[in-house]
Amino acid sequence: MKVLALSGGVGGARLLDGLYELSPSMTAVVNTGDDFVHCGLSVCPDLDTVMYTLSGLADETRGWGLKDETFGALEQIRAFGGPDWFALGDRDLATHLLRTDAMRRGESLSAVTSRLCGALGITARIVPMSDEPCPTLVDTVGEGTLSFQHWLVRRRGEPEVQAIRFEHRPPPAPGLLRAIEGADVVIIGPSNPYVSIDPILRLEGVRQALQEKVVVAVSPIVGGRAIKGPLATMIPQLAGVPASADAIARHYGSLLSGMVVEHGDSVTGLPVLATETIMKSRNERVALAQRVLAFAAERLR
Amino acid sequence: MKVLALSGGVGGARLLDGLYELSPSMTAVVNTGDDFVHCGLSVCPDLDTVMYTLSGLADETRGWGLKDETFGALEQIRAFGGPDWFALGDRDLATHLLRTDAMRRGESLSAVTSRLCGALGITARIVPMSDEPCPTLVDTVGEGTLSFQHWLVRRRGEPEVQAIRFEHRPPPAPGLLRAIEGADVVIIGPSNPYVSIDPILRLEGVRQALQEKVVVAVSPIVGGRAIKGPLATMIPQLAGVPASADAIARHYGSLLSGMVVEHGDSVTGLPVLATETIMKSRNERVALAQRVLAFAAERLR
């Protein structure tokens, strides 16, 4: 079964890790709306989280970045009075340096991502949603429009969100639509629909291509709460309803063939698998991926 | 007494450190011929050595770079199969990142150097010799023309040197000629004349401005050997004479008002101070600087 998954950062990456174990040649399409330029470097938080997670280099305790990370560069940036609100790790810097340099020399984000993932031994195809920058903008109450990382990291996600916007609509990365067409099932990871999955869905041709497919989403909301990140407060702000798995299902609407939720959560109007969705260990990732794929395979019939 | 010094990397920086203690508002004009772009970053080895030394942040044991340095980025660059022949330290990366970003935004090398040095509390004026790139090229026997860092670091200074060349002749940094004119004495540090001092001397107007001044050089050759670097083998290759303090004096020729050499070394045809020139401790740097300045002051009469 050819598996394609859409993913944001940490939550999505953990499910990808399980899917990747079962399907080493899978395709992961990753949000790049959070990407930004920091100290002149192209930083791609979701792509890197996916790359570090699938290569086994992610720091699972801290929840972001690389294992055995140090922060000497950040300390010295601070000593120089430079911008220190975004925690660039030293090992992590290697990724940003090599990517930025390659892109300045004309290599596309897709190509450099593929090359870096290959160097780390990742056999899955990791595709940034687009080769063109497409920053996610956050319209806030009181602080105007902020880029996503400024809102989330610099302002700690504190300013109330009025709307999520996108400056333009770049073409999807080369081969992305063909990859969707060639997939048997599409899994939407337990990522933030507004800022991690919508940026992918709105790219030209993506939603249409997905409508032909069995698409199963894993709810990022468990018992009314988000496992990580600002989603639980975003849902009431943006959709005017309480945070719930059902709110996620309604957000994706007719795109979904089925939904995977935590035991005790409910969704109306489409096939649901209620199961353990919180992934603490690698085994739990693989076990959830197995159940998700089995549930998606049933939808193929 | 207004002190201006010309310097390359380590040896020059150590004398500067002593001079700076005695003359906190001195001017240091630093070679930028070794500068190169590595992983997309503007790396200025001599400027950084001077900045790190005068701020007390230099690793004196290792002889280059910053104290408490780590090399996580380098290890990860290696894991990606990236270029690892130049040892970028993690803290050191902060300097390159902030400088490269500032220069891409249009700030001059002089301006960013002044800002970074100011942030580290350095009161001396540290001036890169030029705001324009002016790479020192090494014509080798057998391996063609190499940029200086490629020859010195990547090829460990092994290929025999046929000639040192410069692609073009940029203007000196703004204010550099006025700084020379305003100086009472000019000290040429114990740096490599071919690759550290000549790049400064050949800039338009510099040699003429220096001819009006008391100029004292400290010999980088002690007992026929260089304290650090490839100078001792370069002298026979480039000047056809054995390495000696006298060869250094002849190289600078009529520019010099006097020369400071190690006890036992001799120079003919100009006033000489023979003294302890090897600087192991900070006290020895200050003591040598004191003797050098006294010797230069005598030349003013």
Side-chain angles (χ1 to χ4, degrees):
Chain A
M1 194 161 71
K2 283 191 187 161
V3 177
L4 181 140
L6 311 185
S7 180
V10 181
R14 287 181 178 168
L15 181 64
L16 283 181
D17 199 23
L19 294 169
Y20 175 52
E21 175 73 25
L22 303 170
S23 179
S25 62
M26 69 168 296
T27 299
V29 179
V30 182
N31 171 46
T32 58
D34 301 7
D35 295 6
F36 72 123
V37 173
H38 188 67
C39 293
L41 298 177
S42 294
V43 179
C44 305
D46 288 354
L47 267 181
D48 293 344
T49 297
V50 168
M51 178 168 73
Y52 298 160
T53 303
L54 297 202
S55 61
L57 297 177
D59 187 311
E60 305 289 354
T61 315
R62 201 196 305 117
W64 55 272
L66 286 159
K67 278 193 285 206
D68 305 320
E69 188 58 290
T70 53
F71 293 90
L74 183 69
E75 278 175 30
Q76 194 60 40
I77 285 174
R78 198 171 284 142
F80 279 124
D84 63 352
W85 60 269
F86 190 84
L88 289 171
D90 295 327
R91 290 176 180 276
D92 191 36
L93 267 171
T95 307
H96 310 317
L97 278 172
L98 294 177
R99 173 169 48 220
T100 305
D101 190 34
M103 289 173 70
R104 283 226 174 79
R105 292 165 188 268
E107 199 172 355
S108 69
L109 179 59
S110 308
V112 71
T113 300
S114 165
R115 199 161 50 76
L116 294 177
C117 288
L120 299 184
I122 298 172
T123 56
R125 184 174 167 207
I126 298 181
V127 187
M129 67 183 201
S130 178
D131 278 342
E132 290 180 22
C134 177
T136 299
L137 301 175
V138 184
D139 286 344
T140 69
V141 178
E143 299 189 22
T145 301
L146 302 174
S147 75
F148 185 73
Q149 292 300 328
H150 275 74
W151 176 77
L152 182 70
V153 181
R154 192 170 200 169
R155 290 293 294 114
R156 297 156 193 258
E158 285 165 8
E160 191 183 330
V161 178
Q162 212 160 39
I164 300 294
R165 282 196 301 119
F166 305 93
E167 234 163 37
H168 68 299
R169 194 189 191 195
L176 191 154
L177 294 181
R178 274 199 311 281
I180 295 175
E181 284 158 19
D184 294 312
V185 296
V186 175
I187 312 298
I188 299 181
S191 299
N192 186 315
Y194 303 106
V195 296
S196 297
I197 303 299
D198 282 359
I200 307 175
L201 295 181
R202 65 185 283 279
L203 299 176
E204 185 151 355
V206 167
R207 198 174 273 273
Q208 294 91 311
L210 288 173
Q211 264 153 359
E212 310 295 315
K213 295 289 158 183
V214 163
V215 179
V216 167
V218 178
S219 177
I221 293 288
V222 169
R225 295 181 175 215
I227 300 300
K228 191 173 185 298
L231 177 60
T233 53
M234 264 187 186
I235 295 174
Q237 289 169 353
L238 291 172
V241 297
S244 71
D246 197 53
I248 303 294
R250 272 183 265 169
H251 180 82
Y252 290 130
S254 64
L255 202 65
L256 297 187
S257 318
M259 181 99 186
V260 178
V261 302
E262 182 66 26
H263 286 303
D265 282 334
S266 62
V267 164
T268 52
L270 84 166
V272 173
L273 169 66
T275 183
E276 292 279 323
T277 63
I278 299 174
M279 298 166 279
K280 279 177 190 145
S281 66
R282 183 134 207 287
N283 283 347
E284 287 174 351
R285 296 175 188 181
V286 178
L288 177 58
Q290 240 155 358
R291 295 193 295 271
V292 169
L293 288 182
F295 176 68
E298 284 169 30
R299 308 274 84 65
L300 279 174
R301 287 176 202 154
Chain B
M1 195 162 68
K2 282 191 189 164
V3 178
L4 180 140
L6 311 185
S7 179
V10 180
R14 286 180 179 170
L15 181 63
L16 283 181
D17 199 22
L19 293 169
Y20 175 51
E21 175 73 26
L22 303 170
S23 179
S25 62
M26 68 169 295
T27 298
V29 178
V30 182
N31 171 45
T32 59
D34 302 7
D35 294 5
F36 72 123
V37 174
H38 188 67
C39 294
L41 298 176
S42 294
V43 179
C44 305
D46 288 355
L47 267 181
D48 293 345
T49 297
V50 169
M51 178 167 74
Y52 298 160
T53 303
L54 296 202
S55 62
L57 297 177
D59 187 310
E60 305 289 353
T61 316
R62 200 196 305 117
W64 55 270
L66 285 159
K67 278 192 284 206
D68 304 321
E69 188 57 291
T70 53
F71 293 90
L74 184 68
E75 278 176 29
Q76 194 61 39
I77 285 173
R78 198 171 284 142
F80 279 124
D84 64 351
W85 59 270
F86 190 85
L88 288 171
D90 296 327
R91 289 176 181 277
D92 190 35
L93 267 171
T95 308
H96 311 316
L97 277 172
L98 294 177
R99 173 168 49 219
T100 304
D101 190 35
M103 289 172 70
R104 282 227 174 79
R105 292 164 188 268
E107 199 172 354
S108 69
L109 179 59
S110 308
V112 71
T113 299
S114 164
R115 199 160 51 76
L116 294 178
C117 288
L120 298 184
I122 298 172
T123 56
R125 184 174 168 208
I126 299 181
V127 186
M129 67 184 200
S130 178
D131 277 342
E132 290 181 21
C134 177
T136 300
L137 302 175
V138 184
D139 286 343
T140 69
V141 177
E143 300 190 21
T145 301
L146 302 175
S147 75
F148 185 73
Q149 292 299 328
H150 275 75
W151 175 77
L152 181 70
V153 180
R154 192 169 200 171
R155 291 294 295 114
R156 295 157 194 260
E158 285 165 8
E160 192 185 328
V161 178
Q162 211 160 39
I164 301 295
R165 281 196 301 120
F166 306 92
E167 233 163 37
H168 67 299
R169 194 189 191 197
L176 192 154
L177 295 181
R178 273 199 312 281
I180 295 176
E181 284 158 18
D184 294 312
V185 294
V186 174
I187 311 299
I188 299 181
S191 298
N192 185 316
Y194 303 106
V195 297
S196 297
I197 303 300
D198 281 359
I200 306 174
L201 296 180
R202 64 185 285 279
L203 298 175
E204 185 150 356
V206 167
R207 197 174 274 273
Q208 294 91 311
L210 289 173
Q211 263 152 1
E212 310 295 314
K213 296 288 157 182
V214 163
V215 178
V216 167
V218 177
S219 177
I221 293 288
V222 169
R225 296 182 174 214
I227 301 299
K228 192 173 184 300
L231 177 59
T233 54
M234 264 187 186
I235 295 174
Q237 288 168 356
L238 291 172
V241 298
S244 71
D246 197 52
I248 303 294
R250 271 183 266 167
H251 180 83
Y252 290 130
S254 64
L255 202 66
L256 296 187
S257 318
M259 182 99 185
V260 178
V261 303
E262 182 66 27
H263 286 302
D265 283 335
S266 63
V267 163
T268 53
L270 83 168
V272 172
L273 169 68
T275 183
E276 292 278 324
T277 63
I278 299 175
M279 298 167 278
K280 279 177 191 148
S281 66
R282 184 135 205 288
N283 282 348
E284 286 174 354
R285 295 175 189 182
V286 178
L288 176 59
Q290 240 155 358
R291 296 193 295 272
V292 169
L293 288 183
F295 176 69
E298 284 169 27
R299 308 275 85 64
L300 279 173
R301 286 176 204 155

